[in-house]
Amino acid sequence: MVDPARNKPSKTSSYKNTVIIRGALDARGIDADALLREAGIDPLVYAGSDKRVPFESVDKLFALVVERTGDPSIGIGLVEHMNPTVYEALGVALLCSSTLRNFFRRFERFFDLVSSLEKATFYETDYGGYLAEEPQVEYSEQTRGVHADAFCAVALKFMRIVYQPDYAPYRLDLNWTPPAEQHTMYAEHFGCEIRFGADVTALHVAAKDLDVPLTGSNASLAFHNDQLAVAILADLKKQDLQARVYARLIEYLPAGDCNREKVAHSLNMSESAFQKKLKAEGTSYQEVLDATRAELAKHYLGKSGMSISEAAFLLGFTDSSNFSRAFKRWTGDAPSDYREKQSP
């Protein structure tokens, strides 16, 4: 029986976050693509797209990162190579904020574009305010600290770009306690008092810093990118369930066992609730299945050098002829003609 309490909107993370992680892993000589695939995130499928990564895959990836690096505090290092514009409209809007107060409000408003695994909330206080990380999922014990550290490190990196390169927060609270030998590293990175084992992860800011005019402030550019972010966020809220269905289909298609009932139950939903949610998003299971197969097929035939029979198998078709007919219906081309068009 499906647990009704778990029948909630899907929680996902932007694939752009894995782009940042990839840079950090490559710098450490770790095969990032192999790690992504092990976590159920196929770079070939996700690259260059706006697809979202389901919570389960994100948490598995973080666990693998900790395991391969042997560093439970890797969350701070993951943002070393972050370029703010990786977040496109949101990144530009944040860089154009007029003050840190304005920056925090924008960060809070649009954080779902980065991840819906946690909420970012800015609270004002007598001494200034704090940006809190409020998890919306149950992280594993192994990854809870990585998520908290990465959240604070990303926020601080933006703040040091828009405000002061050596900016130090008023205080940092972390909801976990890293190994004692790494406490000095935290103090050096954040440059402030740190409270480990706090109830809530939060980056605290003094009142004197909140309303200082920022040199990169650009009201018109910020407004333009805010509007883009609003549109993207509205579209995202419609497609969150589809992202999780997409991930399940990638997992189930090679076995040819991806019927609607199985996918619904894997997402802790009854089949009827699953159908209703997809209908509310303006689609159906069959439409998502066809779109997923079509997109994967184009990737397999256009970039991987995979044979037509191999592609048919990975997409759950019993034979190549059925696949070829479906592919022509999706694209207007036979698989061999499509491949020829993609050749340089």
Side-chain angles (χ1 to χ4, degrees):
M1 184 174 178
V2 177
D3 179 2
R6 297 192 64 188
N7 193 2
K8 299 176 181 178
S10 309
K11 300 300 178 185
T12 60
S13 175
S14 170
Y15 180 70
K16 295 174 178 62
N17 294 321
T18 67
V19 174
I20 296 169
I21 294 171
R22 171 185 274 162
L25 294 177
D26 286 343
R28 289 166 171 76
I30 296 172
D31 187 342
D33 283 355
L35 217 59
L36 286 167
R37 283 191 289 270
E38 192 172 341
I41 307 167
D42 187 341
L44 182 64
V45 173
Y46 279 87
S49 74
D50 292 324
K51 285 187 169 55
R52 306 281 292 185
V53 184
F55 159 62
E56 297 85 353
S57 295
V58 175
D59 208 47
K60 184 175 181 180
L61 175 62
F62 275 33
L64 289 169
V65 169
V66 171
E67 178 186 310
R68 299 298 161 80
T69 62
D71 183 4
S73 299
I74 187 66
I76 294 175
L78 291 180
V79 303
E80 285 177 314
H81 302 276
M82 183 191 83
N83 183 328
T85 57
V86 72
Y87 294 117
E88 299 175 344
L90 174 58
V92 174
L94 288 169
L95 293 176
C96 293
S97 299
S98 58
T99 63
L100 283 184
R101 188 189 304 276
N102 180 247
F103 166 86
F104 284 128
R105 292 301 183 199
R106 184 170 278 121
F107 197 92
E108 174 184 43
R109 181 184 183 191
F110 295 119
F111 190 74
D112 267 2
L113 293 178
V114 177
S115 173
S116 63
L117 307 186
E118 57 261 307
K119 280 179 61 180
T121 308
F122 181 63
Y123 297 94
E124 302 218 21
T125 65
D126 292 341
Y127 59 80
Y130 63 93
L131 181 70
E133 180 225 23
E134 300 172 341
Q136 303 298 295
V137 293
E138 287 290 331
Y139 294 128
S140 65
E141 195 60 34
Q142 186 182 14
T143 65
R144 183 163 55 99
V146 184
H147 287 282
D149 289 356
F151 176 89
C152 294
V154 166
L156 182 62
K157 180 149 190 174
F158 267 103
M159 293 163 68
R160 284 177 170 168
I161 292 172
V162 301
Y163 186 33
Q164 297 170 352
D166 58 351
Y167 175 73
Y170 177 76
R171 191 179 84 226
L172 173 66
D173 296 342
L174 287 174
N175 66 356
W176 78 297
T177 303
E181 63 270 18
Q182 294 184 318
H183 289 193
T184 300
M185 181 268 289
Y186 281 81
E188 291 174 350
H189 183 84
F190 290 97
C192 64
E193 175 192 355
I194 302 176
R195 297 182 181 178
F196 298 113
D199 291 335
V200 176
T201 292
L203 204 60
H204 297 254
V205 182
K208 66 180 180 62
D209 296 312
L210 283 175
D211 296 308
V212 176
L214 300 177
T215 56
S217 173
N218 186 318
S220 61
L221 193 55
F223 176 78
H224 172 70
N225 282 280
D226 277 349
Q227 296 305 106
L228 292 176
V230 166
I232 296 168
L233 191 58
D235 188 54
L236 171 63
K237 290 186 182 297
K238 296 177 185 175
Q239 297 181 8
D240 232 11
L241 175 59
Q242 294 176 53
R244 292 190 75 188
V245 174
Y246 182 88
R248 287 292 188 270
L249 289 174
I250 291 175
E251 180 183 351
Y252 297 152
L253 277 169
D257 184 16
C258 55
N259 62 71
R260 185 175 59 199
E261 181 182 12
K262 178 176 181 176
V263 174
H265 288 176
S266 76
L267 298 174
N268 297 295
M269 295 183 191
S270 67
E271 194 173 353
S272 60
F274 181 57
Q275 288 178 268
K276 287 178 182 176
K277 284 181 177 289
L278 285 174
K279 186 176 181 180
E281 293 186 4
T283 189
S284 67
Y285 175 71
Q286 190 61 48
E287 287 177 353
V288 177
L289 175 61
D290 285 345
T292 301
R293 278 175 154 169
E295 184 167 346
L296 289 173
K298 287 188 282 187
H299 276 290
Y300 292 155
L301 297 179
K303 297 181 181 179
S304 69
M306 191 178 291
S307 71
I308 292 174
S309 59
E310 286 175 315
F313 171 77
L314 287 176
L315 294 172
F317 286 90
T318 54
D319 58 64
S320 298
S321 58
N322 284 337
F323 167 65
S324 295
R325 283 193 292 272
F327 189 86
K328 188 161 188 177
R329 187 174 72 250
W330 298 329
T331 66
D333 289 320
S336 54
D337 294 336
Y338 178 83
R339 168 164 278 165
E340 188 174 337
K341 289 180 180 179
Q342 301 303 306
S343 301

